[in-house]
Amino acid sequence: AVAGDDVRSADAPSFGPPSYHLSLKEAVRFACANNLLGIMCNSSLLTRVPALIRNVKDNGLFLVSFGRENYSEQPRAAQKSHGVDALICDGVIAYEADDNVEYAI
């Protein structure tokens, strides 16, 4: 599920028509109800309201962010420190595994 306030930005992955883009609360509910591993959310929402990250993580979901904020070091570091699992930047998904090594897909 994809959630965020500006999911139609140039950085947003396209997973169907805009009607499939949900509020974060609905994305969490949908992901949990359908046994999904996690959700993707626009980084602007997560950097403005970091408490939302905890909400996603408390539901046992993997959280990936995308958006303009992922191009700057400070917002990336803030998202990681609050629990974002992976960030999409320039079409590359970067995540840090338990061994503290950053991987890119």
Side-chain angles (χ1 to χ4, degrees):
V2 179
D5 60 340
D6 185 21
V7 293
R8 289 175 288 238
S9 70
D11 294 331
S14 62
F15 294 114
S19 61
Y20 288 119
H21 300 157
L22 312 167
S23 71
L24 189 61
K25 181 179 178 181
E26 284 299 314
V28 168
R29 184 178 299 139
F30 179 84
C32 291
N34 290 284
N35 294 319
L36 299 178
L37 294 176
I39 64 169
M40 297 175 70
C41 184
N42 193 300
S43 56
S44 66
L45 181 62
L46 299 176
T47 55
R48 283 190 311 234
V49 189
L52 294 174
I53 297 169
R54 181 59 29 219
N55 182 351
V56 174
K57 303 306 292 174
D58 286 347
N59 281 280
L61 297 171
F62 191 79
L63 179 59
V64 178
S65 76
F66 60 88
R68 281 183 236 138
E69 286 76 7
N70 290 354
Y71 291 90
S72 300
E73 182 58 37
Q74 184 180 7
R76 279 195 315 258
Q79 289 178 79
K80 286 181 181 180
S81 72
H82 284 95
V84 171
D85 297 298
L87 300 117
I88 297 176
C89 188
D90 288 331
V92 176
I93 298 175
Y95 69 96
E96 194 171 294
D98 290 338
D99 56 6
N100 291 326
V101 176
E102 188 170 295
Y103 297 91
I105 300 174

